[in-house]
Amino acid sequence: MTYNTNIEKKSICKRGYVNLDYTEYARLFKALSDPKRLKIVHMLAGGELCACKILEEFHITQPTLSHDMKLLTDAGLVIPRREGKWTHYSLNKTRVGEICRAAEGLMVPEAGTKVCGCGKEERKKEDMEKMETVNTKLYVLTGFLGSGKTTALLKLLERLKGSRIGVIQNEFGKLGIDGTILRNDDIQMVEINRGSIFCTCQKLNFVKALADMAQQDFDYLFVESSGWGDPSNVQEILDAARIASEKEYDFKGVICFVDAVNFLEQVKDEETAFRQLKHCNLAVITKTDLADTGLMEQVAEKIREINPVCEILESVNGEMDHSFLQKDLRIFQWAESEETTNSVETKPKSLFMEYEGQVEKEKLHKFLAAVAPDVHRIKGFCDLEETGWTQVDVVGSLIDYKECGAFERSQLVFISKIGPMVIKKIFSAWEEHVGSEMKLKN
């Protein structure tokens, strides 16, 4: 290696001052100044990679990759290992740590530097008046339709009982099913329905909700986004809320819930599922009790392919390790902010259905099974002859029933895979399997 092994010794803090080897660090930062090389280093944070895998990611020639890897290797940032005809590369984490400390050192005056104090207190007071940091810890929860976000959030709220908690709950359809499940006297909740909070159709409402909640002095604020929400632009929205409220949240990160049973199909067909995982800091694999070891390995491998650096946890029925509450999850960030794919044009068709009286569970089950292939999600509350009021959840081929409190009438929400054509399918399936009167609305 040609790098200077004494750099860390030169970066010694003395009474608040630091001396840096500027020439050496300039060479290191130069090696990282190319976006491609910077991404390679980030990719290697997930573990050793063969050159063939890096080539697949960038679609570049072997000579181009060799040039980039030589610069990173010469700088001591990457360690090469030859195996057969391919070279495998791993990250020199000690070296990367040195660079991080050097970057921090740039915020400390050089030894011997005299610091001017002119107007220091006045400027500090002015800055404090312009922006106040609130102690509210902010978490954004994402995950494709039916991945178990609400179930996990309920368990989380139980875990934090006694804390001051706010919730911003986002439903894609007109009817707020999840908001009804979450609502209780111990939390303050704002519901934003009829579209994704990351879409232009609801983004301003989301910014306003964040700004209003910043005035409440919560211990925690949880944002549960719609299952169709693409959080690629979440930082842009937080910046807008900060300006609007003149207060800044203690943003801890984005948590993506991954349905172990349906994820591989979802991510293959839907860009939203890919983006949710790409832009998360923590991935929680749900429904692990319904997936065998082979499927779990495939899901974990796919997660690492999309996001090499996020932490990964597993969950059953909302139960999970809550130690992440003690961490700053943002250190596990993989992707930079980008434009969301959510728009009015890409918004899927959503409908809700109402009916009076009770129906047989077997008839309702046959109706749901008939409609399920043409929808992303069905959820709601139904009055059944055998069990009374029941919460209904349908994702893929899984149909789940849970006891719930009474409602004025039975209601179901449908999010279509096939646009308005699902209307005819719902009417015909209901007529065939149930037969009683019902109303279907946009």
Side-chain angles (χ1 to χ4, degrees):
M1 298 296 176
T2 59
Y3 59 86
N4 184 353
T5 56
N6 294 316
I7 288 180
E8 191 170 359
K9 295 178 182 178
K10 293 188 178 185
S11 302
I12 302 174
C13 290
K14 294 182 178 179
R15 298 178 185 178
Y17 296 98
V18 64
N19 288 316
L20 298 175
D21 187 330
Y22 299 113
T23 301
E24 180 63 17
Y25 278 120
R27 189 169 73 87
L28 293 180
F29 287 126
K30 185 176 181 180
L32 292 172
S33 63
D34 177 78
K36 182 165 70 279
R37 291 195 291 273
L38 194 60
K39 184 174 181 180
I40 290 171
V41 170
H42 210 168
M43 288 171 63
L44 294 177
E48 185 182 73
L49 287 176
C50 174
C52 61
K53 292 295 183 183
I54 302 175
L55 282 170
E56 289 176 6
E57 176 69 22
F58 293 99
H59 305 291
I60 57 178
T61 63
Q62 178 68 53
T64 300
L65 178 64
S66 296
H67 169 75
D68 287 321
M69 299 314 296
K70 184 177 187 302
L71 289 174
L72 293 173
T73 300
D74 288 347
L77 297 166
V78 166
I79 301 170
R81 178 180 65 83
R82 191 76 178 179
E83 184 176 305
K85 68 175 184 176
W86 290 104
T87 302
H88 294 245
Y89 296 95
S90 58
L91 195 62
N92 185 344
K93 295 185 178 180
T94 301
R95 185 64 161 170
V96 173
E98 291 173 3
I99 294 180
C100 293
R101 286 189 289 275
E104 292 173 358
L106 293 173
M107 303 301 293
V108 181
E110 184 181 14
T113 300
K114 294 182 179 180
V115 182
C116 175
C118 299
K120 182 177 179 181
E121 291 302 317
E122 288 76 11
R123 290 196 304 274
K124 183 176 180 181
K125 182 178 179 181
E126 183 180 342
D127 290 341
M128 288 296 291
E129 289 174 348
K130 288 181 179 178
M131 191 66 63
E132 178 186 350
T133 299
V134 296
N135 294 321
T136 304
K137 297 178 177 64
L138 171 64
Y139 294 87
V140 176
L141 313 184
T142 70
F144 204 67
L145 299 157
S147 58
K149 298 183 295 297
T150 303
T151 302
L153 181 54
L154 279 170
K155 296 293 184 181
L156 197 52
L157 296 178
E158 289 177 15
R159 161 79 167 72
L160 296 172
K161 193 174 180 61
S163 301
R164 286 178 48 80
I165 297 174
V167 174
I168 298 177
Q169 213 288 319
N170 176 216
E171 288 270 22
F172 191 81
K174 180 179 179 180
L175 194 63
I177 299 295
D178 293 338
T180 303
I181 296 170
L182 288 169
R183 192 175 292 112
N184 67 57
D185 296 334
D186 295 328
I187 64 171
Q188 184 170 331
M189 184 167 63
V190 172
E191 294 183 76
I192 303 176
N193 297 338
R194 306 205 76 167
S196 165
I197 50 176
F198 306 110
C199 174
T200 52
C201 62
Q202 291 291 1
K203 190 160 58 173
L204 289 179
N205 288 332
F206 185 25
V207 170
K208 183 179 184 303
L210 285 169
D212 291 345
M213 290 294 218
Q215 315 302 322
Q216 302 300 317
D217 194 29
F218 294 119
D219 297 316
Y220 296 90
L221 176 61
F222 296 98
V223 176
E224 183 187 353
S225 70
S226 155
W228 200 260
D230 170 5
S232 304
N233 62 343
V234 65
Q235 190 58 56
E236 171 197 332
I237 292 172
L238 293 179
D239 290 343
R242 184 181 70 244
I243 294 169
S245 65
E246 296 188 345
K247 292 187 176 183
E248 185 169 14
Y249 284 102
D250 182 10
F251 180 43
K252 292 299 186 181
V254 178
I255 303 173
C256 177
F257 292 86
V258 176
D259 181 339
V261 178
N262 297 296
F263 172 69
L264 294 178
E265 286 301 314
Q266 292 167 345
V267 78
K268 182 172 63 177
D269 298 332
E270 303 297 341
E271 174 72 9
T272 300
F274 176 87
R275 289 290 195 97
Q276 290 169 344
L277 188 53
K278 177 183 177 184
H279 289 275
C280 79
N281 309 103
L282 167 64
V284 180
I285 306 176
T286 62
K287 307 178 186 178
T288 55
D289 55 322
L290 303 177
D292 59 32
T293 302
L295 180 57
M296 286 294 295
E297 289 175 353
Q298 291 179 56
V299 170
E301 183 180 351
K302 192 64 177 179
I303 290 173
R304 276 288 167 251
E305 178 186 321
I306 298 170
N307 189 326
V309 302
C310 69
E311 286 212 313
I312 300 177
L313 295 177
E314 296 182 6
S315 171
V316 177
N317 296 324
E319 298 286 355
M320 57 185 284
D321 180 2
H322 291 143
S323 63
F324 70 85
L325 293 169
Q326 313 305 320
K327 301 178 182 179
D328 183 356
L329 296 175
R330 291 178 302 166
I331 64 174
F332 305 107
Q333 182 167 339
W334 169 242
E336 296 299 320
S337 181
E338 58 184 315
E339 186 176 351
T340 182
T341 57
N342 291 156
S343 68
V344 175
E345 292 74 22
T346 61
K347 185 178 178 181
K349 182 70 175 175
S350 65
L351 302 157
F352 76 94
M353 185 182 81
E354 295 181 335
Y355 70 87
E356 304 284 350
Q358 293 184 320
V359 299
E360 294 179 23
K361 183 176 181 179
E362 183 180 356
K363 290 182 178 180
L364 180 69
H365 191 90
K366 289 180 178 179
F367 162 73
L368 295 173
V371 176
D374 296 316
V375 296
H376 290 292
R377 182 85 191 274
I378 306 172
K379 59 182 175 180
F381 308 102
C382 295
D383 192 5
L384 304 180
E385 289 184 4
E386 297 85 349
T387 57
W389 284 100
T390 305
Q391 179 187 333
V392 177
D393 271 296
V394 182
V395 183
S397 60
L398 295 177
I399 302 176
D400 187 48
Y401 303 93
K402 295 178 184 176
E403 291 183 10
C404 68
F407 292 84
E408 184 178 344
R409 63 181 62 85
S410 297
Q411 297 178 317
L412 288 171
V413 173
F414 304 82
I415 299 180
S416 174
K417 286 183 180 179
I418 58 175
M421 290 188 295
V422 77
I423 296 173
K424 182 178 180 180
K425 184 65 178 285
I426 292 172
F427 272 119
S428 61
W430 183 265
E431 182 64 29
E432 179 182 353
H433 298 292
V434 182
S436 60
E437 183 180 352
M438 65 87 164
K439 294 179 182 179
L440 192 62
K441 303 177 182 180
N442 285 312

